[in-house]
Each structure stands twice: as C-alpha cells, then as structure tokens.
Amino acid sequence: MDEKLWAEIDEKEPIPEHIRERMEQLRARRRTVPEDRLIKRPTMIEGIRKAGIVNTGVLDEVAKHIKAGMTTQQIDDIVVEYTHAHGGICAPYGFEGYPKSVCTSINEEVCHGIPSKLRKIHDGDIINVDATTIVDGYYADASRMFMIGNVSEQRRKLVEDTKKCLELGIAAAQPWAHIGDIGYAIAKFAHKQGYSVVRELGGHGVGCDFHEDPFVAHVGTKGKGMVLVPGMVITIEPMINLGKAGVVIDPYNDWTIYTADRRDSAQWEHTILITETGNEILTY
Ligand code: MF3
Ligand code: CO
Ligand code: CO
C-alpha cells in the first residue's frame, strides 16, 4: 500500500485510544509492541476480508479439481483463471522473480514448489497448495494440504497433525498475548508427535503488503516476542517435518525448499485478524 493512502486512512481511522494507551503501557514495560503501521484499520480490514474471500474461493476451486495424473501447471492454471474471474491478482506472480502464480509443494518439498507442466501429481502424494490473492491492493494468504488418492497412514497423520498445529497456533494468537506463545503451542504438539518444526521460514504480517512484520516463528517461548495487538493481521503457517528440521534450497531454481533428509513435510496456512476478544480467520 502506498504511503499517501495509508496516511489518509490513519487520519480518518486512528488506532482506538484504549488500544493506544495499552500499547504505551506495555512499551514502558519494555515489551516489543508493533508499530502503528501494523495495526489495521476498519477500511483495511474490510479490504483484506474481501481478498480472503477470493483466496478461499481459489483453494476451494483447486480442491474441486485436484487429482492424480494432473500436472502442477494445471493447478496454476486453475488458480489464475479463478482469481482473475473474481477480480483478484495472484500475488506470487513476479514476486521477487517468482515465475508462477501459486506454490505447489509435494511430499519432501517444504514450500515454494514451482508449478510445472513436467510435474505430475501421483496417487499417494501429499501436496500443499499455497495461494495469495490481491484484491483492491489488499492481500490474503492461505494454504491447504491435499491427499491424493490412497495416502499412507503415516502421511495422513502428518497432514492431520500439521492442521492441528495450525489450529493450536491460532488458538494461542490471542489479543495481548505474544508471538512466542504461537510457536510454543505449535512446537509443543509437533514434538510430542515426534515431528520437527521448520525454523528458517515462518508466518508474517500480511494485508497491506505480501510480507510485513512481524516474523511468526513456529517454535517459541511463552511470553516472548512481539505483543499481539487487536488490529494486527498475521499468517500462521507451520511447516512440520516427519524427520529432521533441516531444510535446503533448490540450487537450480533458488526457490523450492526441501527437507534436508528428504523425508515428508506438511504445511497449512491461514490469515488471521487479532480482535479485542480473540481472533478471526480471514481465509475460511
Ligand atoms: N505464500 C507464501 C507464504 O506463505 C509465500 C510465497 S512467495 C512466492 O508466505 F513467491 F513463492 F510466491
Ligand atoms: Co502462503
Ligand atoms: Co504466508
């Protein structure tokens, strides 16, 4: 979002006084408090909500058609067509040179798998489809796992437990809690199931831009990190590995992240709004 528009909205819709006061109190107590920029105002929230609705439609459309034998390029085609038909733009396309409109990450691919007409989805695969949609300049970001045909029990459990990690992270993302509470909740459950949690990548502020502050780690310590203030919009997007936590980047395309041990990985993502009473998922 450009500076001028932001300043206009800030002027018309300032941060509510009681929230500003509480932020000041916490700042005085040396807590990390978000900058004003990270507190979304009603106009912005409405915009992000609209982007969220289209983004959810994108993933629903993928869900309708995804099946063994299709290529990841065909998923990209579905995403582009649906997004454009609904007044949106695919944020990944051209983002820092990213060549496609969605990420499709299969099995040992952790994230940022690039759609290709040479890559088929097979029976037994697990695949993450990660879509980010821009509507009227506002961004919403979410991803889901899809299980293709007959998936092993181990893969099914990884996918379901990773969804549970996202749910636990969302439950921890309460107003005036800390970013560290989110990672704590996620890692506690993941480790109990014998999995590891990817550390190099995380969730992020989102809404007026693709990636905003703060970084949302999926491991953490209760009570540490930035305070979650009503009006913040963040993603939570745990990447959970069956084996070790280490990851490597594809040396050829410089995008795709794999598990270093080449064991499976899963991820689910939502964009959420921190409210005064809890949070709201904007990508349902
Ligand atoms: N959607 C990813 C995220 O959750 C980012 C993808 S960047 C891209 O943050 F360029 F690969 F699209
Ligand atoms: Co995403
Ligand atoms: Co994201």
Side-chain angles (χ1 to χ4, degrees), residues 149-196:
N150 292 307
V151 165
S152 71
E153 180 56 25
Q154 189 180 53
R155 281 186 169 163
R156 189 194 56 73
K157 185 176 182 310
L158 175 66
V159 167
E160 285 171 6
D161 286 344
T162 303
K163 188 176 192 185
K164 178 79 179 165
C165 284
L166 172 58
E167 290 163 358
L168 290 168
I170 292 171
Q174 296 299 317
W176 311 108
H178 294 254
I179 289 281
D181 300 345
I182 298 172
Y184 174 81
I186 290 169
K188 184 177 159 197
F189 178 74
H191 292 152
K192 200 171 86 191
Q193 303 302 320
Y195 303 130
S196 60

Side-chain angles (χ1 to χ4, degrees), residues 12-223:
K12 286 203 194 95
E13 301 170 1
I15 297 172
E17 202 49 47
H18 65 286
I19 290 177
R20 176 175 293 289
E21 261 167 36
R22 189 148 174 194
M23 285 167 73
E24 284 314 320
Q25 284 166 10
L26 290 166
R27 199 172 276 128
R29 285 157 50 192
R30 309 230 141 266
R31 308 285 192 85
T32 308
V33 175
E35 298 176 71
D36 289 6
R37 257 211 110 72
L38 302 182
I39 315 296
K40 268 67 178 181
R41 317 310 161 78
T43 297
M44 301 173 190
I45 291 166
E46 277 326 296
I48 302 164
R49 200 186 294 287
K50 279 188 193 153
I53 289 166
V54 178
N55 202 66
T56 299
V58 168
L59 292 174
D60 288 345
E61 187 68 11
V62 169
K64 261 196 247 167
H65 299 285
I66 197 164
K67 63 168 199 285
M70 82 193 290
T71 67
T72 51
Q73 179 60 47
Q74 287 176 285
I75 296 174
D76 197 88
D77 294 343
I78 291 167
V79 168
V80 170
E81 196 185 327
Y82 184 96
T83 303
H84 293 173
H86 291 80
I89 297 169
C90 302
Y93 186 72
F95 172 76
E96 291 180 5
Y98 188 77
K100 296 286 174 172
S101 296
V102 66
C103 297
T104 51
S105 307
I106 302 173
N107 302 338
E108 74 280 6
E109 296 172 354
V110 173
C111 62
H112 304 167
I114 302 176
S116 162
K117 61 183 194 310
L118 302 175
R119 183 76 192 265
K120 271 192 177 153
I121 311 170
H122 296 115
D123 183 79
D125 283 347
I126 54 172
I127 176 171
N128 175 275
V129 178
D130 188 343
T132 307
T133 303
I134 312 172
V135 176
D136 295 335
Y138 293 104
Y139 292 71
D141 184 11
S143 78
R144 298 181 196 164
M145 294 299 296
F146 297 98
M147 295 186 261
I148 307 301
N150 292 307
V151 165
S152 71
E153 180 56 25
Q154 189 180 53
R155 281 186 169 163
R156 189 194 56 73
K157 185 176 182 310
L158 175 66
V159 167
E160 285 171 6
D161 286 344
T162 303
K163 188 176 192 185
K164 178 79 179 165
C165 284
L166 172 58
E167 290 163 358
L168 290 168
I170 292 171
Q174 296 299 317
W176 311 108
H178 294 254
I179 289 281
D181 300 345
I182 298 172
Y184 174 81
I186 290 169
K188 184 177 159 197
F189 178 74
H191 292 152
K192 200 171 86 191
Q193 303 302 320
Y195 303 130
S196 60
V197 180
V198 173
R199 294 167 178 264
E200 287 84 349
L201 302 113
H204 48 91
V206 68
C208 296
D209 207 337
F210 198 160
H211 295 112
E212 305 173 16
D213 281 342
F215 177 75
V216 180
H218 300 116
V219 297
T221 305
K222 271 191 196 174

